Amino acid sequence: MARRQARRAGGGPRWLPWLGLALLPLAVPPAAAPAACPSACYCVATPELVQCRYERLEEPPRELPAAVQNLSIAGSNLSVLSRAAFAARPLRDLRLLRLRHDNIHTIEDMALQGLPALRTLDLSHNPLLSVAAGAFAGAPLLRTLQLNQALLAAPLEEQLALALRNLSLRRLELAGNALQALPAALLPPGLEELDLRNNSLQRLAAAELRSLDAPELRGLRLSLASNPLSCDCGLRPFLAWLRGAAANRVLDARSLRCAGPAALRGTALLRLRPEALACDGGEPAELETASYVFFGIVLALIGVVFLMVLYLNRRGIKRWLHNLREACRDQMEGYHYRYEQDADPRCAGTPGL
């Protein structure tokens, strides 16, 4: 009896320790949760990568995580990037900003204020109409600017030249903008890569090649594929430049093809001979053949006209031939008569006594 009482006094239910372990997490304060994703976007893996796609946003979301490093907004209707568009909450770690297909047509001064670490800005596939001179002033570390198919709505070369003058760009993408000449004003000193693919370039003129050989652009490498290169005599300076000291400066040189003339369409540029580039777009052999054909046609036409004249004047020609024959006969008869007179001894004079 005494033993039972001792057990009741010193021991308790065996499930009490397990209950304590189960309640222990409730006593520990929870760690700080990461910032939530914007309601119109979603975060991939971590809040450092935020994507907002086809949500028809009219302005950048304001509740972005402070630690975001890669932000992509696509398919929205931002229209105007106003001053300090991303400064509602400073994004000091943001390095890559993609704003594709967002119907952006205006970028105001200091639109990128609050993005001190931004290095890559993608504004491709936007109908840009106006870019302020200080549009990129809030991103002093910007090194890559992508403007593919963004300069089709209006000529913006002068505006962009002012906006880029204080930047130290290393890569500039201008693919798909129907450019017909090298945009020399958009090439800041120190630029290392220039993407001009899928434009309307027929050649690079001698003056443009000289600008590429300037000391501040000696390290510049170009991409020129998918341009309608015209393989005529105007291409000779570019071909010589491509094969010379600039052999390694065109990254896709082996893929460059002639778009015209028809005889050279599809021919690799590096396989052309300079003397094969004719000034009117044809090869010398073709020109010589065409000249002979034209000369033959002219002679044939002259022959046909001559035969038609003879046919239409056949009666007059017959009459002229008849008269000519009669005149020749009269002439011959006169010669024959005089010859007979001279040969007749009766008509010969007697010598004087």
Side-chain angles (χ1 to χ4, degrees):
M1 191 70 171
R3 292 180 178 177
R4 291 179 181 178
Q5 292 177 355
R7 288 178 180 176
R8 291 176 181 176
R14 296 182 178 180
W15 48 267
L16 287 177
W18 297 104
L19 179 62
L21 291 175
L23 296 178
L24 182 61
L26 299 178
V28 178
C37 253
S39 59
C41 310
Y42 62 90
C43 299
V44 179
T46 66
E48 296 176 356
L49 175 59
V50 178
Q51 295 186 358
C52 313
R53 295 185 177 179
Y54 304 101
E55 295 293 341
R56 308 308 297 173
L57 300 174
E58 295 185 355
E59 62 179 7
R62 296 180 175 274
E63 63 273 16
L64 290 168
V68 61
Q69 297 181 8
N70 187 333
L71 174 60
S72 176
I73 303 176
S76 292
N77 188 29
L78 300 182
S79 300
V80 178
L81 286 184
S82 57
R83 184 183 184 91
F86 297 89
R89 183 175 187 177
L91 304 175
R92 302 189 181 279
D93 296 326
L94 186 66
R95 290 172 172 79
L96 189 152
L97 177 59
R98 297 188 186 278
L99 302 174
R100 291 189 169 197
H101 298 282
D102 286 323
N103 195 32
I104 299 172
H105 56 75
T106 302
I107 305 178
E108 298 181 352
D109 282 317
M110 299 298 294
L112 303 180
Q113 185 178 357
L115 306 177
L118 186 65
R119 291 184 173 272
T120 301
L121 175 62
D122 189 353
L123 293 169
S124 301
H125 305 280
N126 285 292
L128 294 179
L129 297 175
S130 175
V131 179
F136 309 123
L141 298 182
L142 188 63
R143 295 295 179 266
T144 299
L145 180 60
Q146 298 170 319
L147 296 172
N148 303 316
Q149 296 189 33
L151 309 180
L152 296 171
L156 295 177
E157 187 170 343
E158 294 183 2
Q159 295 184 35
L160 282 174
L162 293 175
L164 300 179
R165 60 182 176 179
N166 294 324
L167 295 179
S168 299
L169 283 184
R170 295 294 178 264
R171 179 177 177 84
L172 178 61
E173 296 186 12
L174 299 173
N177 284 305
L179 298 176
Q180 298 182 1
L182 181 73
L186 301 184
L187 308 183
L191 189 66
E192 297 176 355
E193 294 185 44
L194 176 62
D195 189 350
L196 292 174
R197 293 174 296 172
N198 195 28
N199 277 286
S200 300
L201 299 174
Q202 294 187 354
R203 65 183 61 84
L204 291 183
E208 295 171 331
L209 297 176
R210 285 193 295 270
S211 67
L212 292 176
D213 288 334
E216 61 271 16
L217 294 176
R218 287 284 176 84
L220 178 61
R221 295 175 296 173
L222 295 85
S223 297
L224 297 171
S226 301
N227 277 286
L229 299 175
S230 179
C231 295
D232 54 17
C233 63
L235 194 70
R236 290 174 184 171
F238 174 63
L239 184 59
W241 181 82
L242 193 62
R243 288 176 170 173
N248 298 323
R249 295 186 62 183
V250 179
L251 301 176
D252 48 7
R254 296 183 179 275
S255 64
L256 299 182
R257 298 287 188 273
C258 296
L264 295 177
R265 185 173 297 130
T267 303
L269 224 64
L270 293 178
R271 294 184 179 180
L272 290 174
R273 294 178 292 105
E275 59 270 16
L277 300 176
C279 287
D280 61 347
E283 293 185 349
E286 289 182 351
L287 289 176
E288 186 176 357
T289 302
S291 299
Y292 282 127
V293 171
F294 178 75
F295 185 66
I297 292 175
V298 171
L299 290 179
L301 289 176
I302 293 175
V304 170
V305 171
F306 181 72
L307 292 177
M308 290 181 63
V309 170
L310 292 179
Y311 177 76
L312 294 175
N313 294 277
R314 60 187 183 277
R315 294 182 179 178
I317 294 174
K318 186 177 180 180
R319 189 181 308 111
W320 178 76
L321 290 175
H322 176 73
N323 294 336
L324 181 62
R325 186 170 61 251
E326 292 295 329
C328 290
R329 181 182 299 173
D330 293 342
Q331 188 70 19
M332 292 302 296
E333 288 180 353
Y335 281 124
H336 184 67
Y337 176 76
R338 287 196 297 270
Y339 175 76
E340 289 180 349
Q341 290 292 328
D342 293 338
D344 190 353
R346 291 176 298 177
C347 296
T350 58
L353 296 175

